[in-house]
Amino acid sequence: MKMWFLLLLIYSSTNTEPVQTQSKGKVVLRGGENPCEGHVEIYYNNITGYVGDKHWNSSTEEVVCRTTQCGVPVPGATKNVPRLESRTVWLNELQCSGDENDLWDCGGYPAPGVSFYQKPTVKMIKCTDQIEISLEPQQCHGVAKYSVTGNTSSSGYFCKDNWGSQDVKTAELLCKNLGCGGFKEIPRPQWVIGNDYEGSEKMAVDCSGIDSVTSLWQCIRRTQQCKDPVVVTCEGHERLQLQGSPLNVCSGELQERKTEWKPVKKNITNADNLCKKLNCGGVTNYTVDQNLHLTCTDTVKVVLMNNRESKCFGQVYVNVNGSNKAVCGNGWTDKNSQMICKELNCGKSIQLSIKDAATSGVMDYVECLGDESSLWHCKARRGQQLTCQNTPHIICSGSVKFRLADGPGKCAGRLEVQHGDEWKRVAKSGWDEENSDNICQRLNCGETTADNHPEKFFQGSGNFVSVKCDQNQPDISECVKSEQNTRNEEAVGITCKNHEVVFLDGSEPCSGGVGIRQNNNTFWLSGSNETWNSEAAQTVCKQMHCGGLIKFYSRPSAEDMTDMTFRAYRCSRNQASLLDCDKVELPDHNEAIAQVECSGTINMSLSNGCWGKVRILAEGKSEGVCADSWTEEMSRALCQDQGCGDTILKVRKPPSSEQVLFKSLHTLGNNFTLRESTFVKTGTREWCVPAYVVCAGSTKYRFRPSRDHCSGIVQAFYEGDWLPLSKDVAIDKSKVCKALECVAVKRSGTYFGPQHDGEAITSVKCSSSNSEDSLGNCEISAGREKNLLDLQCTDWREMVLEDHGCKGEVAVYSEAGRMFVSSEGWTDKEGQRLCEDLQCGSFKSKREVLGSDSFWNKTFKCPIDGKTESIWNCETQTPPSLQKKKLFIECQDRSKVNLSDGCSGQLTIDSSPVCNKNWDINYSNRVCQELNCGNAFDSDSKSTKDGLHVSCDQHHHILGQCRRTQGTCSSSVSIFCYKNITFHTREKCGGSLQVNSGKQWENGVSYEVEDVPENYDDVEDISANVQTTADVHNQLQATSKSTTVPPEGQQRDEDYLEPNQDGSKGKLAPRSGSEPFVIVKQLGEDHPTYLVHPEEQVAVPAAAPEQDYPPEREDASEPELRRSHRSNLAVLSHTWRTLKSEQGTQREAHGSAEWKDAESSHSQTGRRNQGPNPPCDREGTAGEAREPPVVRVRRGSTGQVARRRAAEL
């Protein structure tokens, strides 16, 4: 049984799939003098074993040499060697053809370890190839390479993916085999690999799973996919440098670094080789004292280049034997930058940037530890064929310089830093004022002044840096950093104690005594003939922008000379400032102050009188000044100087940048005066935002020009624009009327027109110093506002044409009533002005009308230039003569008022819809009367986006006389006049009443009352006995409501019983609000339904049940039913009481004698186009008419009541 099992195992081993790849291990030669000699060792499942010699032949040896990458077998070199009997023989009975690539590919062997092998020996072979392994570029440091000699010759690199610190054992083996001691570190591959690496042959190294590796060749496999070269630095590697001058780093004391740099004291056998290790060429000479000094053939120095060699900033280059070559920026670190700044004695690196630059290079992937003597001695990749794609650009603190720019002197101005090749501004955010003292001292300007903060300077342009120091940065130059996000940044300004300013003390800006102000101390220029001459005087005129010299002289001081301090300067013709001249000792006899009179003048103004850009008149030109140094104090002083008040307003429309001549303006003290100010002039025109001031004295007030005087929208002139006042502005309206010479306020409210979409005056603040009738120096501000102030003062007046708005006698309405305008002095010019004011187009004609009415006491005459804003600008103070004649004017246009359906429909004026904002029933009456449609019955609204807003006064009798303005609105007006109303009944000579008010036929509402008490106040006692039912769409619902109607002449809200939850009648409760209250009474199947409305004291037949009502739910509540019917209410003016009898329904009319017809008592019915009352011979029409009763009609929720007579039903 066991034999059969063994045979089955052998058969399955030799006739199944090959052994799994992951089980197959390496094949190595071990025990020889090199990795291509030895007995065959094979790994299976990571366990080492032997190859038996059963069927061993030359083909087997060929496959072994091929598998181990060792060429071909050496004939006759094969021999037997003993084996360890404890070790497994994995392969035996191999039958190789000689063509296999790997020993595992040979056939014949049973499963690994199955073939019985008892021999104590195995075969040892020798292959032809000799393998040499080395490091380049140095013996104990570099990339691992192999060289093969023998049957074939080849060379290449060892590589391994993810080669790194985990490969220490392999690196240790490599260093030991090379005689370089132990492993030290794995360097950057870029430092040591050559340019031929990518195209060279490669052998992948993987020693995992191999016991006791003696050579790197035992771990190889051929590949082209491997990325990482095998690189190593062994302990035997010497890292050297020369410590000498930065002018030649290839000359100096030889030093070696193990843990730190120390001089080399050992004897030298090959100095030339040392220079090559130092990348300095060959040796020129060397000397040995206590230490070793070398001078190599190459001259090398590190330089910074900015187009040309610069001291402490620029791109990094190395000058080799007079030729500058770039240092590439790959892998560059801050330590490298610090190394360069230290080497060049330039302080510390404060900025590093990597810039694109395709150029040839000399170093790449530089890595400095920071203790090297030169960048040249740092670790790096080197070569003659390096190409840089980018280069490092550094700025050392040693290149930083400071200055105060664009100030009135050398010791005051905007702080700037030379950062690289650019002067940059210092950002104020993050600036520590303690640094200001440091800057002043650096510039020999003393310390900062105590009042340094208020001083402002021209902001300039360009980039910003920040200066932020910590405790480890004692030198402020090391604290400078570039700033990127500086959109709203402000530049630092500094004024030091030694800041000096020249001024002229005289009545005019360009003449007077020459003075010098320094830190609140005043010095006077000596008028001694020894120093005060024409050159000095011309320098002063030039410095003060005052033109040329007229004369110079000396004047004794009126003050005690002992209290005055003098200075003396000696100038030449080339100085731009007196302070640039040589300061000299005072003469022995100095009793006078230098005086000068220059040809120019300096003046200051605003471009628009009391508002606008600040203009400085100097050197014959009127130019702007930048706003950077301008202050509120300067604005206030300029307003006062210009006679524009002492209040400044917020600028609404700041100017944009423009070119100006003056960068800044500076005062000598706290009080701003032009003669004690200094200007900083630009060399060429600068772009900046100019100084801009709005004085309160520039504001003016008026009523917006219209046909009205002292009435309408109030406007304020603010920075070139007339802005309306907000309705909510807090201002005494009487003060406005007085300021506008309109006496006192009559009324104020919200403007009738569309909501304002723009700026308006939202605040007016007047100081107590303002007079009662003045607004001239009040502080105002503007903002977005919708509702505007509409003001009418007691001196209001309006001019109208009395016919149809655009034609008629000219009348003036005012507090005094209506007065006619005299025709005296009127021409076509005045007529044109009035027609335009009335929105009536052009002037057409005028004539005189006789009359003895009251006349307006002034005449009208427009200016010759025709520049008038309204007819009231043409009013004169001249009264008319005694021969008065009324003026009649006709304009070309006429306002066309129209309703879309004749006497009903959408209202339009000149085809434009009319907005329903502030619409009044009296406006509707004006429309109906103007269209000969009687009075207005109702009005409605319709959605719209734009239309005319209308406002009528009591004296406007037609719509064309009313004020109107076009604008946006949400809905327009629709009007229904009485002439458009028609009535009829649903049955012949009777039945329920139907009304058509211009839209459609609507059902009237009838009333029925039973058992009305004589005393209305007894309603509470009898209401419990009153029962009604509601019949809506044939659905009956029980209610407990009072149908009590008060007697004629009394009026009271309806009362009703509030039902309990079980349906029984509850307590009496008052009706809330004023909604109509409808009660329905069903009298029987043969009788119509009647509705009762207690408020109107009437009863008329209700609509038939089949009439189309608005649809309601079957479970609708009583209030919902009431709401659905209240819009269909037609009420007769007589109270109808219906009594139930066998013969049918009888009606007893109780007339209301007090109601009166709005028209003639014999007018026809409201039906149009039906002639006189027809006989009762057709169904659904009125019968023979008797004295028609008055009909009251109620519609919608407006509650407006109108009357018409109708035929008796």
Side-chain angles (χ1 to χ4, degrees):
M1 186 67 182
K2 292 182 178 179
M3 182 62 68
W4 281 108
F5 176 77
L6 181 59
L7 291 174
L8 179 63
L9 179 62
I10 294 172
Y11 177 80
S12 62
S13 301
T14 57
N15 292 276
T16 57
E17 294 294 325
V19 177
Q20 294 293 321
T21 303
Q22 61 265 32
S23 301
K24 297 178 180 180
K26 289 284 295 181
V27 177
V28 299
L29 296 176
R30 191 186 296 276
E33 294 180 356
N34 63 71
C36 288
E37 180 183 4
H39 67 266
V40 182
E41 192 173 85
I42 192 167
Y43 285 81
Y44 178 70
N45 284 336
N46 292 325
I47 299 174
T48 185
Y50 292 109
V51 176
D53 57 8
K54 181 94 174 174
H55 306 312
W56 187 274
N57 56 29
S58 61
S59 296
T60 306
E61 294 176 358
E62 288 180 5
V63 175
V64 170
C65 288
R66 186 179 299 119
T67 303
T68 56
Q69 307 289 334
C70 286
V72 297
V74 176
T78 304
K79 61 183 179 178
N80 292 325
V81 294
R83 71 176 179 87
L84 295 176
E85 294 186 1
S86 59
R87 185 171 292 177
T88 306
V89 176
W90 287 120
L91 295 180
N92 193 26
E93 303 180 52
L94 288 173
Q95 296 180 0
C96 299
S97 66
D99 296 327
E100 292 86 354
N101 289 321
D102 194 284
L103 198 62
W104 285 100
D105 297 335
C106 293
Y109 66 91
V114 171
S115 179
F116 183 77
Y117 190 84
Q118 196 64 22
K119 288 179 68 173
T121 62
V122 292
K123 296 297 183 182
M124 177 177 179
I125 70 168
K126 183 176 183 180
C127 302
T128 57
D129 288 351
Q130 297 292 317
I131 309 300
E132 182 181 352
I133 297 174
S134 62
L135 294 177
E136 287 188 359
Q138 297 184 22
Q139 178 182 354
C140 296
H141 163 74
V143 60
K145 295 189 68 175
Y146 64 85
S147 176
V148 179
T149 57
N151 185 52
T152 59
S153 297
S154 65
S155 64
Y157 290 90
F158 291 107
C159 67
K160 181 182 185 299
D161 287 341
N162 301 315
W163 172 260
S165 59
Q166 73 273 13
D167 297 292
V168 172
K169 286 186 179 181
T170 306
E172 287 276 6
L173 171 68
L174 183 57
C175 289
K176 182 179 178 181
N177 288 347
L178 293 173
C180 291
F183 161 75
K184 184 177 183 180
E185 64 180 1
I186 293 179
R188 280 189 182 183
Q190 295 88 347
W191 293 340
V192 291
I193 62 174
N195 294 327
D196 62 340
Y197 175 77
E198 292 297 330
S200 298
E201 185 179 278
K202 299 178 183 64
M203 290 288 185
V205 175
D206 186 2
C207 297
S208 60
I210 303 177
D211 297 335
S212 303
V213 177
T214 58
S215 172
L216 215 60
W217 198 255
Q218 295 172 328
C219 307
I220 64 164
R221 60 180 174 83
R222 192 177 298 276
T223 182
Q224 286 296 326
Q225 304 302 318
C226 198
K227 295 183 298 182
D228 299 334
V230 171
V231 292
V232 67
T233 299
C234 305
E235 290 178 344
H237 171 62
E238 295 178 322
R239 189 174 173 203
L240 303 174
Q241 71 172 20
L242 292 174
Q243 177 70 57
S245 167
L247 297 178
N248 183 11
V249 299
C250 285
S251 177
E253 180 186 77
L254 182 64
Q255 295 180 340
E256 181 181 11
R257 190 182 196 280
K258 295 187 182 295
T259 57
E260 60 183 12
W261 293 103
K262 291 184 178 180
V264 175
K265 298 183 179 181
K266 61 185 178 181
N267 292 329
I268 298 177
T269 58
N270 189 348
D272 195 64
N273 189 45
L274 289 176
C275 284
K276 289 180 179 178
K277 284 185 177 181
L278 292 164
N279 301 291
C280 289
V283 67
T284 300
N285 64 66
Y286 68 92
T287 59
V288 179
D289 45 24
Q290 288 185 342
N291 304 317
L292 179 63
H293 293 263
L294 278 179
T295 298
C296 301
T297 57
D298 290 346
T299 300
V300 177
K301 67 175 181 177
V302 177
V303 295
L304 295 175
M305 300 286 293
N306 185 50
N307 295 325
R308 61 179 183 274
E309 187 174 335
S310 58
K311 171 60 177 169
C312 292
F313 69 92
Q315 290 177 279
V316 183
Y317 279 77
V318 175
N319 184 290
V320 180
N321 298 326
S323 176
N324 288 322
K325 292 189 176 182
V327 175
C328 305
N330 290 319
W332 191 267
T333 65
D334 182 64
K335 276 189 175 181
N336 300 345
S337 301
Q338 299 294 352
M339 178 70 244
I340 293 174
C341 292
K342 182 183 77 171
E343 178 180 354
L344 299 179
N345 195 27
C346 288
K348 293 184 178 180
S349 171
I350 60 173
Q351 179 172 300
L352 163 66
S353 58
I354 305 297
K355 297 187 176 182
D356 293 338
T359 183
S360 60
V362 68
M363 298 175 73
D364 199 359
Y365 296 98
V366 179
E367 183 181 287
C368 298
L369 297 177
D371 58 357
E372 294 89 347
S373 62
S374 169
L375 182 79
W376 187 248
H377 298 311
C378 296
K379 299 174 184 177
R381 179 181 181 182
R382 305 167 193 269
Q384 296 299 319
Q385 297 180 349
L386 287 179
T387 299
C388 300
Q389 300 302 319
N390 50 55
T391 59
H393 185 281
I394 65 173
I395 298 177
C396 304
S397 61
S399 69
V400 172
K401 297 177 183 177
F402 296 91
R403 72 180 181 187
L404 297 175
D406 291 333
K410 293 181 179 179
C411 293
R414 181 185 65 253
L415 178 60
E416 289 189 342
V417 175
Q418 187 176 26
H419 191 245
D421 60 347
E422 181 183 357
W423 283 98
K424 297 181 180 180
R425 300 175 291 172
V426 177
K428 193 170 185 178
S429 59
W431 174 257
D432 188 344
E433 287 298 336
E434 292 182 0
N435 292 330
S436 298
D437 282 340
N438 189 317
I439 297 298
C440 289
Q441 291 168 4
R442 275 175 172 263
L443 299 177
N444 298 318
C445 291
E447 298 176 347
T448 55
T449 60
D451 59 348
N452 179 50
H453 299 285
E455 189 72 30
K456 298 175 68 177
F457 302 95
F458 174 56
Q459 287 292 298
S461 59
N463 298 318
F464 278 93
V465 294
S466 64
V467 179
K468 299 176 183 178
C469 298
D470 57 35
Q471 295 179 348
N472 298 322
Q473 293 173 305
D475 187 348
I476 194 173
S477 299
E478 299 174 6
C479 311
V480 179
K481 296 180 178 63
S482 286
E483 286 292 327
Q484 302 298 326
N485 186 19
T486 57
R487 184 173 183 179
N488 298 313
E489 190 59 79
E490 184 179 351
V492 171
I494 297 177
T495 301
C496 305
K497 282 187 176 180
N498 291 351
H499 169 53
E500 299 173 324
V501 177
V502 177
F503 68 96
L504 297 178
D505 181 31
S507 58
E508 298 296 331
C510 286
S511 64
V514 182
I516 301 164
R517 184 73 60 85
Q518 177 187 343
N519 193 27
N520 296 326
N521 296 318
T522 300
F523 302 88
W524 297 100
L525 185 65
S526 170
S528 169
N529 293 334
E530 297 179 26
T531 56
W532 180 234
N533 53 29
S534 62
E535 286 81 3
Q538 286 175 348
T539 300
V540 170
C541 288
K542 184 194 306 181
Q543 178 179 0
M544 302 303 293
H545 311 292
C546 286
L549 174 66
I550 294 180
K551 63 179 180 179
F552 69 97
Y553 56 97
S554 300
R555 178 179 59 81
S557 172
E559 302 177 16
D560 187 356
M561 299 289 288
T562 58
D563 295 333
M564 302 179 70
T565 305
F566 286 87
R567 283 187 183 178
Y569 293 88
R570 183 169 285 109
C571 300
S572 65
R573 291 182 177 274
N574 298 323
Q575 272 91 7
S577 167
L578 179 69
L579 302 175
D580 293 336
C581 302
D582 296 330
K583 189 176 180 180
V584 297
E585 293 290 333
L586 285 171
D588 294 337
H589 302 286
N590 183 70
E591 299 177 352
I593 299 173
Q595 304 284 321
V596 67
E597 185 177 334
C598 306
S599 62
T601 184
I602 296 178
N603 195 7
M604 194 180 303
S605 62
L606 293 173
S607 58
N608 296 300
C610 286
W611 66 278
K613 300 172 187 175
V614 177
R615 312 298 293 179
I616 297 176
L617 177 63
E619 300 178 352
K621 298 179 181 179
S622 179
E623 297 285 348
V625 59
C626 290
D628 298 341
S629 66
W630 194 263
T631 64
E632 285 192 8
E633 290 74 16
M634 293 178 182
S635 296
R636 192 170 289 107
L638 182 58
C639 286
Q640 288 178 318
D641 184 63
Q642 299 295 309
C644 299
D646 56 2
T647 302
I648 56 175
L649 304 182
K650 181 180 179 180
V651 175
R652 291 176 45 244
K653 300 183 290 186
S656 55
S657 293
E658 62 180 44
Q659 286 185 313
V660 300
L661 188 60
F662 295 97
K663 293 181 180 180
S664 56
L665 171 69
H666 302 273
T667 60
L668 298 185
N670 296 325
N671 296 323
F672 170 68
T673 59
L674 189 59
R675 64 184 181 86
E676 291 190 350
S677 299
T678 58
F679 304 93
V680 178
K681 186 181 176 183
T682 63
T684 58
R685 293 182 183 274
E686 290 280 353
W687 281 92
C688 69
V689 176
Y692 189 93
V693 180
V694 181
C695 307
S698 67
T699 58
K700 297 177 284 187
Y701 293 83
R702 71 176 185 182
F703 282 101
R704 189 168 69 180
S706 69
R707 62 184 179 183
D708 297 323
H709 178 74
C710 291
S711 179
I713 291 178
V714 181
Q715 294 178 316
F717 183 78
Y718 187 179
E719 202 176 339
D721 297 318
W722 286 100
L723 301 182
L725 266 62
S726 164
K727 173 183 175 294
D728 299 322
V729 68
I731 187 173
D732 184 354
K733 310 300 188 298
S734 295
K735 187 168 186 173
V736 176
C737 287
K738 289 179 181 178
L740 297 178
E741 299 180 351
C742 293
V743 189
V745 65
K746 180 181 180 182
R747 63 163 180 81
S748 66
T750 304
Y751 174 55
F752 74 90
Q755 287 189 330
H756 185 58
D757 183 22
E759 278 188 296
I761 303 300
T762 56
S763 173
V764 179
K765 297 178 181 178
C766 300
S767 64
S768 57
S769 61
N770 276 80
S771 63
E772 188 175 333
D773 58 352
S774 173
L775 299 171
N777 201 31
C778 297
E779 182 180 352
I780 66 174
S781 58
R784 307 291 294 188
E785 182 59 54
K786 293 183 177 180
N787 298 318
L788 305 181
L789 174 65
D790 191 0
L791 181 66
Q792 188 175 52
C793 303
T794 55
D795 197 27
W796 72 274
R797 45 191 183 268
E798 177 190 358
M799 192 174 291
V800 299
L801 299 181
E802 291 286 41
D803 193 349
H804 58 60
C806 291
K807 173 184 176 183
E809 296 173 349
V810 183
V812 172
Y813 285 86
S814 67
E815 284 290 283
R818 182 177 73 163
M819 296 183 180
F820 288 95
V821 175
S822 170
S823 63
E824 187 175 331
W826 275 76
T827 66
D828 292 355
K829 184 182 296 183
E830 289 75 28
Q832 179 65 33
R833 178 70 267 171
L834 179 58
C835 288
E836 290 178 9
D837 289 349
L838 297 176
Q839 298 172 274
C840 290
S842 301
F843 170 74
K844 184 176 182 181
S845 64
K846 66 177 179 64
R847 56 188 171 88
E848 296 176 337
V849 178
L850 296 175
S852 58
D853 304 84
S854 296
F855 278 80
W856 186 245
N857 62 351
K858 295 178 182 177
T859 56
F860 294 82
K861 185 173 182 60
C862 293
I864 297 175
D865 58 11
K867 294 181 179 180
T868 57
E869 294 177 328
S870 80
I871 189 62
W872 297 107
N873 296 134
C874 303
E875 188 179 40
T876 71
Q877 299 301 315
T878 305
S881 63
L882 296 179
Q883 300 296 325
K884 299 173 182 175
K885 293 180 181 179
K886 293 189 290 185
L887 175 65
F888 188 101
I889 280 183
E890 182 177 0
C891 305
Q892 291 283 0
D893 299 339
R894 175 179 179 176
S895 299
K896 297 177 179 61
V897 178
N898 183 60
L899 294 176
S900 58
D901 296 322
C903 286
S904 65
Q906 186 182 32
L907 171 64
T908 57
I909 301 177
D910 296 331
S911 301
S912 177
V914 176
C915 301
N916 71 346
K917 179 184 177 183
N918 302 320
W919 189 259
D920 187 85
I921 184 60
N922 288 323
Y923 295 4
S924 298
N925 285 330
R926 285 178 174 86
V927 174
C928 290
Q929 289 290 344
E930 185 174 349
L931 297 177
N932 299 317
C933 294
N935 283 354
F937 159 70
D938 196 4
S939 64
D940 202 352
S941 60
K942 182 180 180 181
S943 177
T944 188
K945 292 183 179 180
D946 188 79
L948 285 170
H949 294 255
V950 176
S951 175
C952 299
D953 288 335
Q954 191 67 29
H955 56 269
H956 297 145
H957 64 84
I958 61 172
L959 210 61
Q961 293 177 323
C962 301
R963 300 175 189 86
R964 58 188 183 276
T965 184
Q966 191 80 26
T968 58
C969 57
S970 59
S971 57
S972 63
V973 174
S974 291
I975 298 175
F976 303 91
C977 304
Y978 277 127
K979 192 173 181 180
N980 212 50
I981 298 175
T982 58
F983 304 91
H984 74 199
T985 56
R986 291 182 58 85
E987 300 175 11
K988 183 177 181 180
C989 294
S992 58
L993 181 67
Q994 288 192 318
V995 182
N996 190 322
S997 59
K999 291 185 175 180
Q1000 61 184 2
W1001 287 103
E1002 299 179 357
N1003 295 306
V1005 181
S1006 304
Y1007 292 83
E1008 179 276 331
V1009 181
E1010 287 187 310
D1011 302 327
V1012 179
E1014 294 297 324
N1015 185 356
Y1016 182 75
D1017 292 332
D1018 294 335
V1019 65
E1020 186 171 353
D1021 297 331
I1022 64 125
S1023 61
N1025 300 321
V1026 178
Q1027 290 290 319
T1028 66
T1029 59
D1031 183 5
V1032 180
H1033 289 189
N1034 299 319
Q1035 299 294 322
L1036 297 178
Q1037 293 186 0
T1039 65
S1040 300
K1041 296 188 173 58
S1042 171
T1043 58
T1044 303
V1045 178
E1048 184 178 344
Q1050 298 187 25
Q1051 186 67 35
R1052 170 171 167 168
D1053 283 349
E1054 301 91 327
D1055 296 326
Y1056 68 95
L1057 287 175
E1058 187 177 40
N1060 296 322
Q1061 291 184 355
D1062 59 1
S1064 63
K1065 295 184 286 291
K1067 63 181 180 179
L1068 192 68
R1071 176 177 68 87
S1072 62
S1074 58
E1075 294 289 281
F1077 193 75
V1078 179
I1079 302 172
V1080 182
K1081 178 71 174 182
Q1082 179 69 39
L1083 300 178
E1085 292 182 356
D1086 299 328
H1087 300 283
T1089 300
Y1090 288 84
L1091 304 176
V1092 177
H1093 191 288
E1095 180 183 336
E1096 297 295 340
Q1097 309 178 38
V1098 296
V1100 297
E1106 63 272 14
Q1107 177 65 31
D1108 288 336
Y1109 284 152
E1112 283 129 6
R1113 304 188 312 274
E1114 292 183 1
D1115 60 345
S1117 64
E1118 184 64 11
E1120 291 178 64
L1121 300 179
R1122 295 203 306 272
R1123 285 196 296 273
S1124 69
H1125 287 84
R1126 74 181 184 194
S1127 64
N1128 298 321
L1129 183 59
V1131 182
L1132 293 178
S1133 64
H1134 288 227
T1135 301
W1136 292 81
R1137 180 170 298 166
T1138 304
L1139 303 176
K1140 185 176 182 181
S1141 67
E1142 295 179 357
Q1143 290 79 17
T1145 302
Q1146 299 178 357
R1147 307 187 194 106
E1148 181 181 354
H1150 299 275
S1152 176
E1154 295 181 0
W1155 287 4
K1156 296 180 180 180
D1157 183 19
E1159 293 185 356
S1160 169
S1161 61
H1162 298 287
S1163 63
Q1164 300 297 322
T1165 70
R1167 296 192 303 269
R1168 291 178 291 176
N1169 303 323
Q1170 292 194 13
N1173 297 322
C1176 187
D1177 57 357
R1178 289 183 289 125
E1179 182 176 350
T1181 61
E1184 182 178 353
R1186 297 192 298 272
E1187 180 67 17
V1190 174
V1191 176
R1192 303 187 75 193
V1193 181
R1194 181 184 295 270
R1195 240 190 79 71
S1197 60
T1198 61
Q1200 302 299 333
V1201 177
R1203 292 175 239 161
R1204 277 289 182 272
R1205 291 188 174 275
E1208 183 178 1
L1209 301 177

